Amino acid sequence: MADNALKKSRKRRHCCPDLPAKRRLIDPSQSSQRRLVLYTPSSELLRCLGLFLRRRCYKLDLSPTQVIGWLKNIDNYLLIMGYQPVSFLSSGSVVFLYMLCRDLISPEADSVEQLQVSLLTCYFITHCYTGNENGYPETPFLLGSRKAFWDRCLSYISIMSSKMMQINSNRQIYSETLAELKAVGR
């Protein structure tokens, strides 16, 4: 009997020898706090982004749901056409998009079309930088001249390239940007 008990205990220790030690190393209050800071449903973040743009572009008669509709229409188009296997509008992509919009979209936008052009350019850059595919079609993001679109893309990338790399590599910057976006919705 003692031999069987010894074999069973050896088996358990051999299967996951470090598990108890790992459990002691993780502080539950820190890990749950980290999850709360880093995860927010994309639908809530989209709502916050819509509110941010409505407040930012105060001269315009703009609904937050209108902004969300522009983004979801493109997302659905890319899904239907097979350019992406799942929805692109995840929490991470919305935080990245917010960072671009915060720094690139002017509060002095004179028309909804001008805002939409800037937003869709930011959305295209977000797709290209954080998306799963090597290339996305420009067509659903394009409003107006193709040359103006690409000039805007290059200008935005030039302005934001260091911040795009930082948010991608530094969890603290991502957390701060996420918290800032969530604060807009309060």
Side-chain angles (χ1 to χ4, degrees):
M1 283 284 191
D3 285 339
N4 284 342
L6 184 60
K7 285 180 185 177
K8 286 182 182 179
S9 68
R10 279 187 195 154
K11 218 178 207 180
R12 283 187 203 125
R13 276 188 272 136
H14 176 69
C15 182
C16 301
D18 298 325
L19 191 56
K22 285 182 182 176
R23 283 185 182 160
R24 276 181 260 150
L25 292 174
I26 296 172
D27 180 6
S29 64
Q30 288 178 349
S31 66
S32 64
Q33 182 182 17
R34 183 177 295 153
R35 274 188 232 121
L36 288 174
V37 171
L38 293 178
Y39 178 75
T40 303
S42 59
S43 58
E44 181 183 337
L45 293 178
L46 281 170
R47 183 185 63 79
C48 292
L49 178 64
L51 289 170
F52 165 77
L53 290 170
R54 185 180 79 189
R55 291 176 188 153
R56 166 66 58 98
C57 302
Y58 60 92
K59 294 179 182 178
L60 305 178
D61 182 26
L62 183 69
S63 160
T65 56
Q66 189 177 9
V67 171
I68 295 167
W70 297 336
L71 301 174
K72 285 189 172 185
N73 283 342
I74 292 173
D75 194 53
N76 288 334
Y77 173 85
L78 294 173
L79 279 167
I80 290 167
M81 298 306 288
Y83 286 104
Q84 57 191 24
V86 295
S87 175
F88 178 75
L89 293 169
S90 66
S91 297
S93 64
V94 176
V95 170
F96 189 91
L97 176 60
Y98 165 73
M99 178 194 69
L100 294 177
C101 292
R102 176 192 67 198
D103 292 359
L104 296 170
I105 292 183
S106 170
E108 300 302 319
D110 292 331
S111 68
V112 172
E113 292 77 23
Q114 184 182 1
L115 168 64
Q116 189 177 18
V117 162
S118 292
L119 175 64
L120 296 186
T121 303
C122 290
Y123 193 39
F124 180 77
I125 292 168
T126 301
H127 267 79
C128 292
Y129 193 81
T130 64
N132 294 327
E133 300 300 321
N134 288 333
Y136 287 91
E138 66 188 17
T139 308
F141 303 91
L142 188 63
L143 293 175
S145 155
R146 179 173 271 120
K147 180 181 177 350
F149 173 78
W150 286 109
D151 288 345
R152 209 171 28 260
C153 282
L154 292 174
S155 172
Y156 286 6
I157 290 168
S158 176
I159 293 166
M160 296 299 295
S161 69
S162 65
K163 286 187 178 183
M164 292 189 308
M165 290 190 299
Q166 286 175 344
I167 197 170
N168 198 33
S169 64
N170 187 328
R171 176 173 253 165
Q172 182 66 30
I173 292 173
Y174 176 84
S175 296
E176 289 169 1
T177 308
L178 172 61
E180 186 181 315
L181 176 58
K182 286 172 58 175
V184 171
R186 290 186 192 128

